[in-house]
Amino acid sequence: MNVKVVKIKVLGEGCFGVVHLVKTIAPVYNKIYAMKSADEDHSSFLRKEEEILQQFADSPNVVRCHGGFTSVERERGVVYNMFMEYAAEGSLLNLMRKNGGRIPERDVKCYTRMILEGLFDIHRKGFVHEHHLY
Ligand SMILES: Nc1ncnc2c1ncn2[C@@H]1O[C@H](COP(=O)(O)OP(=O)(O)OP(=O)(O)O)[C@@H](O)[C@H]1O
């Protein structure tokens, strides 16, 4: 499948790759995704992440994965890309930064519930969540 996207902006960078906000051009026009990319030679983690996320399509508290594809970029060569649901409100860290280093008390209950329900689904399927500190 010949997937074409326009990169709108960088959303962030993790240990293994960069995440862009993108808009699709082909084969479907104007779909918005968060797209995580890694050089093909170092893409095994991303392919694994995709394989795992696909198992959580029915979990509303785990970010939805919309598949992956390979592209060739002039500067980087062959790249593997994974489409994710775009979390437009950003991360909890963004929320804390906007609120003087805290999560507003009125929001704590709702986010705690979402995190615990997401973790419950993850553990139920036999996975553990790991976050890298760097
Ligand atoms: N689906 C998304 N919607 C919006 N922003 C996202 C999305 N996924 C990732 N981001 C942004 O990109 C950053 C990097 O994401 P990534 O998944 O690569 O790493 P991480 O989860 O922060 O850390 P790690 O490398 O430990 O997995 C995030 O911190 C976040 O700011």
Side-chain angles (χ1 to χ4, degrees):
M1 188 174 38
N2 193 8
V3 182
K4 286 203 172 88
V5 302
V6 172
K7 288 178 181 167
I8 298 168
K9 63 174 183 178
V10 173
L11 291 170
E13 201 164 345
C15 291
F16 303 109
V18 61
V19 181
H20 283 93
L21 176 64
V22 299
K23 182 173 92 165
T24 62
I25 301 296
V28 180
Y29 184 70
N30 217 13
K31 287 231 168 218
I32 295 287
Y33 293 115
M35 185 179 87
K36 193 188 260 195
S37 309
D39 292 346
E40 174 69 14
D41 292 349
H42 301 97
S43 67
S44 58
F45 78 91
L46 188 53
R47 291 169 187 273
K48 186 74 188 164
E49 184 173 349
E50 180 188 337
E51 188 189 308
I52 294 170
L53 280 180
Q54 299 279 18
Q55 298 178 45
F56 290 92
D58 58 350
S59 176
N61 295 301
V62 176
V63 83
R64 189 73 58 90
C65 173
H66 294 278
F69 67 99
T70 302
S71 62
V72 181
E73 296 191 8
R74 208 175 304 148
E75 324 79 53
R76 293 177 68 185
V78 184
V79 173
Y80 191 74
N81 309 282
M82 176 179 76
F83 282 145
M84 290 176 282
E85 155 194 5
Y86 170 45
E89 298 295 324
S91 64
L92 284 179
L93 187 58
N94 296 139
L95 180 69
M96 287 172 74
R97 283 184 179 141
K98 272 189 235 153
N99 291 280
R102 293 160 183 260
I103 296 175
E105 206 170 325
R106 64 177 182 280
D107 296 332
V108 168
K109 198 166 146 188
C110 130
Y111 285 120
T112 304
R113 187 182 184 97
M114 287 160 76
I115 292 167
L116 291 178
E117 286 181 356
L119 276 177
F120 181 77
D121 287 350
I122 289 168
H123 294 168
R124 205 161 38 126
K125 289 212 161 87
F127 294 102
V128 290
H129 181 267
E130 176 190 31
H131 200 79
H132 305 98
L133 297 175
Y134 51 98

